């Protein structure tokens, strides 16, 4: 199964991806996690991505498409995957379509978590508090300034993907304001094998 989780920062993509990983055994391919690892390791990609990530902007399509192209070649991704945080622009979605078409495979579903933007700021504040409570370092882009930039990037560059995937008949929209378990249950229903 090949899935995309769409939604603004703080919509719960990471939380739900982790649950899908657990329940369906699919690897979670999070471009945000991969980029943060590259920044931490000081790789050439990390050096290029560092400042733009800290400001809340988007890393170039070329970089992220390259990362995803390499990652989906790895053995654990052969049987399927969940993409979390990718694609984030129409050119990224087009590049993904080409990559999958070359392999003769396609996407099964694109699940969009719809959330009220006003609630997102509170969610991010909670994520910061939870992270601090676990004694872990807080993400550099979880501050009000960068968060605003991330929301604008979402609205302008990522939101058009809903229409892109709706036209392909792949889009499933869920109410991401529901309790976490409810969202998980709805995703599970979508992922149930359809009767032939
Ligand atoms: P995330 O963990 O998905 O919120 O991503 C954190 C940051 O990594 C984003 O704000 C971007 O700077 C960068 N990033 C992650 N995925 C992408 C992507 N698909 N395209 C461009 N930038 C990305």
């Amino acid at each position: 199964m090949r899935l995309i989780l769409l939604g603004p920062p703080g919509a719960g993509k990471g939380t739900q991806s982790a649950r899908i990983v657990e329940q369906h055994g699919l690897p979670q391919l999070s471009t945000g996690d991969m980029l943060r690892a590259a920044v931490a390791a000081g790789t050439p990609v990390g050096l290029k991505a560092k400042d733009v990530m800290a400001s809340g902007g988007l890393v170039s399509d070329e970089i992220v498409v390259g990362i995803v192209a390499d990652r989906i070649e790895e053995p654990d991704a052969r049987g399927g995957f969940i993409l979390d945080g990718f694609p984030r622009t129409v050119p990224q979605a087009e590049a993904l379509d080409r990559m999958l078409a070359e392999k003769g495979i396609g996407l099964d579903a694109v699940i969009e978590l719809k959330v009220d933007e006003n609630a997102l700021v509170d969610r991010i504040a909670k994520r910061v508090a939870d992270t601090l409570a676990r004694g872990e370092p807080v993400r550099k882009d979880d501050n009000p300034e960068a968060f605003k930039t991330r929301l604008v990037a979402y609205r302008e560059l990522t939101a058009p993907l809903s229409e892109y995937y709706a036209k392909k008949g792949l889009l499933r929209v869920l109410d991401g304001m529901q309790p976490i378990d409810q969202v998980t249950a709805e995703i599970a229903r979508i992922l149930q094998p359809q009767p032939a």
Side-chain angles (χ1 to χ4, degrees), residues 8-10 13 30-36 49-50 52-61 64-65 68 84-89 92 127 139 141-142 146 150 153 158:
K13 299 188 298 294
S30 157
T31 41
D33 285 349
M34 292 184 244
L35 288 165
R36 279 185 287 278
K50 188 174 183 202
V52 63
M53 285 178 77
S55 73
L58 289 189
V59 174
S60 77
D61 289 339
V64 284
V65 167
V68 171
D84 162 12
F86 179 93
R88 256 181 165 91
T89 65
Q92 288 180 18
R127 176 151 94 192
R139 281 173 54 163
D141 57 355
D142 272 350
R150 287 158 67 198
T158 311

Side-chain angles (χ1 to χ4, degrees), residues 98-176:
R98 285 194 295 273
M99 265 183 240
L100 297 180
E102 269 173 27
K103 295 172 169 294
I105 55 182
L107 293 166
D108 295 287
V110 177
I111 299 178
E112 178 180 350
L113 301 178
K114 269 243 186 270
V115 285
D116 166 9
E117 275 195 17
N118 293 319
L120 292 177
V121 180
D122 295 341
R123 283 194 178 187
I124 290 295
K126 186 175 179 317
R127 176 151 94 192
V128 171
D130 289 348
T131 307
L132 287 172
R134 288 196 303 270
E136 293 170 9
V138 172
R139 281 173 54 163
K140 282 210 168 47
D141 57 355
D142 272 350
N143 62 71
E145 193 71 8
F147 189 72
K148 233 190 321 184
T149 309
R150 287 158 67 198
L151 265 186
V152 170
Y154 184 81
R155 247 183 257 134
E156 293 181 356
L157 298 167
T158 311
L161 291 180
S162 304
E163 199 189 330
Y164 182 90
Y165 288 118
K167 278 191 182 145
K168 291 179 183 283
L170 289 170
L171 187 72
R172 308 293 301 262
V173 182
L174 295 186
D175 175 4

